[in-house]
Amino acid sequence: MAQAQSVLADALGLAPTEARIEAQVLLKHGLGDVARAWLIAHEHDPVAAKHEATFKLLLHRRLEGEPVAYILGEREFFGLMFKVTPATLIPRPETELLVELALRRIPSPPSGCPPTAMLSPPMGEGGRQTGSGSEFRVLDLGTGSGAIALSLAHARPGVEFVAVDVSPDALAVAYENAQRLEISNISFMQSNWYAALDTQLFDLIVSNPPYVAVGDAHLRHGDLRFEPLSALSSGEDGLDDIRRIVSEAPVHLKPGGWLLFEHGYDQAAKVRELLQLAGFNAIFSACDLAGIERVSGGCVLT
Ligand code: GLN
């Protein structure tokens, strides 16, 4: 363990605590997902040869730079465990801000209110979501693993959610997460942003779109090297997809509806300008725990 910790710290430039946590997490997984308490209690016990071999393999993958979330195949987000694969972005803590801001805008129905939509397998492009149109409806654009939409749907079981992604592989992961978490008030659809949504209207649209500039050096470092580029980067200034999401949102929002989305650390001013150009009101940006303007949004009046 101690050896693995120092190898990880040296190879990946991790702080000692971080390296210790990673070594522990990998060992825990290598031992067949034993409890952390068990691991601590047996810290000095010899490890069986087959478990040692598995651990070495996991360590090797991590030393090659593969993200811990892909090695484990899961990542916790907003208190729920999500399956993640290289077809999906790894949910990040700063995205929980988007979930919190969205929850403030989704009414909590009286307890006992039944879900309004049933979990249905992902529909192909052109598929249609049924619904009376009178209930509160939320759209998640570019859902990936489903982390945002499913966290919201879990917290608001009486509200109807639609989650779209252009990638069928990502949609399959999101659908599996919905099943694992037993969340049924959501439907999935393959769509390039709004393309397959026809004239559907929503009370709230949320998104964590790709927003990193194509030439950004961050894309060549750390976890980002292993994540789908289509989920990370978007044109020269990183704003290509955000421009589309903002400009087309008013067509899909009911009067008084909100658009909320995550963006890059230096994009808030530009994004507020885009929202203004598209006719949004009550435009705002909110800071993440690091004090960085990370989520912006606005509402349409008509
Ligand atoms: N927040 C991610 C990062 O900067 C990027 C995710 C995204 O483009 N939506 O690492």
Side-chain angles (χ1 to χ4, degrees), residues 89 92 94 208-212 224 231-232 262:
L89 203 71
R92 288 162 164 73
E94 59 266 30
N208 175 18
Y211 53 67
V212 181
L224 277 71
L232 285 170
E262 183 174 316

Side-chain angles (χ1 to χ4, degrees), residues 118-179:
M118 291 306 288
L119 177 62
S120 52
M123 290 184 270
E125 192 112 17
R128 263 198 76 82
Q129 163 70 26
T130 52
S132 71
S134 59
E135 59 280 272
F136 198 94
R137 303 184 75 220
V138 182
L139 169 66
D140 178 25
L141 292 169
T143 198
S145 64
I148 296 167
L150 291 169
S151 299
L152 293 172
H154 182 259
R156 294 287 187 272
V159 169
E160 182 185 335
F161 289 82
V162 177
V164 305
D165 204 293
V166 74
S167 155
D169 292 341
L171 276 180
V173 175
Y175 182 67
E176 193 181 327
N177 277 323
Q179 285 183 310

